[in-house]
Amino acid sequence: MDIDLILRVYPFFIEAAYVTVQLSVLTCLLGLACGALGAAARLSRLAPIRWIAAAYVSLFRGTPALIQIFLLYFGGPQIGIQLDSFSAGVIALGVNIGAYMTETIRGAIVSVDKGQSEASRTLGMSRWQTMRKVILPQAARLMIRPLGVNINALIKGTALVAPISVIELTYTAQRFIGSTYKPFEMFLIAGILYMIIIYVAGHGIKWLDRRAQIT
Amino acid sequence: MGLDFTVVPEYFGVLLLGMGWTIAITIGAGLLSFFGGIVFAVIALYGHWVIRLPFRLFAWLFMGTPLLLQLFLIYFGLIQIGIDLPAFVAGVIGLGLHFAVYNSELIQASILAVDKGQYEGARTLGLSRVQTLRRIVIPQAVHAVIPPMGNNMIALLKDSALVSVIGVAELTLAAQQAISRTYRPFEFYIAAAACYYVVNLCLEAGLRRLERRIAASR
């Protein structure tokens, strides 16, 4: 174990961890937006909208995220979409995790007891009112924990932008392995930083979950 | 530059070969993750604490860090201690161990979910601990574990794309090779995605059949 080396390179890793956090937060927000839209579309009364949403989920879950990132970053310019590697990474990862979140959110909405929606319709509420005032508040509670699982996968998934040269944790580890030939030390620093990020995110989700269950 | 998918058929053979390697990696790593998962689960549940403790640490590390980082560690890191693995072997080991840890968690949960009375009953009837596990507990746990383990296999198939980064000539790298000759990234990544999608659909159909057969045999 080369402690001197670790002390020399760790500031680069701290900076890279900051990029990983930024990637995670932006990807998570985009993923939640795609997931909410996707779930709404999957539950739509119009069949073509349901089909489009089902195709979105199936295609993005059925192919590797790495291919989706490469397609957008390297293939995008061919159809006039020129993005820097960070934006391409966020968009590809966000739309990808959005497909998983679509199913998570839809699952939570569907698992709210049917009687709830029937009762509020009987009380004279519109479909939209029922959704907003009765179903969604209950579904929100149910979806926090499974969304937490998605977010955990998402944070580790940010490593996939290393091959398109976003200077995040995995890329930084890879670069220093190449120049120092000390993979175990580099893995140790990067691994610890990933676990700290995941631990903090996990605790945030647990805190949210506890609060949601009380109120 | 517009899109021109007519260049794809020319590289059909390259993509097909890559797809073969993707399937080979998925099968290799799938088998390793299956049997590894069983071994890990048995260690975690019944092992002596001297073995269990380092194993917990190992599982915790594997679940808390990205697979890509683990592949880099196995492929580039083991050279540091004198183990120089071919990229394919490193990829199979990395993917296999990663998913073995996830499978192990599933197997542990499903073994613990088997009613305690079953275990006690079998022991009372004179079966040894190993016999009880092998004949009574594990067959029941298997039913519960097949669907989530199927999901892990599907995740494994898609994550096999990551071994392109350490130079295994599977589907993703095959597409990249075609791109480096034709400068047509969009067409070939779409073609590769389509290939993955087809393999994925076949795997899903296979898993559904397996689930039905197991459900019918109950």
Side-chain angles (χ1 to χ4, degrees), chain B residues 43-211:
Chain B
I43 290 174
L45 290 174
Y46 308 106
H48 192 266
W49 70 269
V50 178
I51 317 169
R52 219 165 51 213
L53 206 66
F55 172 76
R56 278 300 330 153
L57 186 71
F58 165 80
W60 185 65
L61 272 169
F62 260 67
M63 291 180 68
T65 58
L67 173 61
L68 191 61
L69 199 59
Q70 291 159 19
L71 288 172
F72 283 146
L73 182 75
I74 289 170
Y75 187 57
F76 299 112
L78 291 180
I79 297 174
Q80 197 183 345
I81 53 167
I83 303 169
D84 193 356
L85 296 171
F88 179 82
V89 177
V92 166
I93 292 175
L95 277 170
L97 286 182
H98 183 86
F99 282 96
V101 171
Y102 281 95
N103 282 342
S104 151
E105 298 288 317
L106 292 174
I107 295 167
Q108 283 176 53
S110 68
I111 287 179
L112 291 177
V114 172
D115 189 45
K116 268 230 149 21
Q118 299 276 331
Y119 187 86
E120 283 158 14
R123 290 308 297 276
T124 314
L125 287 171
L127 272 76
S128 74
R129 246 176 91 119
V130 175
Q131 280 179 320
T132 307
L133 268 182
R134 203 163 56 89
R135 302 238 174 117
I136 311 290
V137 178
I138 289 175
Q140 294 185 67
V142 163
H143 290 294
V145 92
I146 292 290
M149 241 156 100
N151 287 340
N152 278 353
M153 289 294 166
I154 288 166
L156 193 157
L157 165 66
K158 287 179 289 168
D159 281 346
S160 74
L162 297 192
V163 301
S164 65
V165 178
I166 59 170
V168 181
E170 44 65 80
L171 191 46
T172 305
L173 198 65
Q176 280 164 349
Q177 281 161 355
I179 289 163
S180 67
R181 275 178 234 148
T182 58
Y183 302 104
R184 297 225 162 252
F186 196 90
E187 290 87 339
F188 280 104
Y189 283 129
I190 287 282
C195 292
Y196 276 111
Y197 194 67
V198 169
V199 179
N200 198 24
L201 287 181
C202 294
L203 181 56
E204 274 180 27
L207 286 167
R208 260 201 305 275
R209 259 188 72 172
L210 184 68
E211 267 175 52

Side-chain angles (χ1 to χ4, degrees), chain A residues 8 35 52 93 127-128 138-139 169 172 193 198 212:
Chain A
R8 244 192 351 264
I52 292 169
L93 282 173
R127 218 180 109 97
W128 169 238
Q138 297 183 65
L169 273 171
T172 305
L193 288 170
I198 287 169

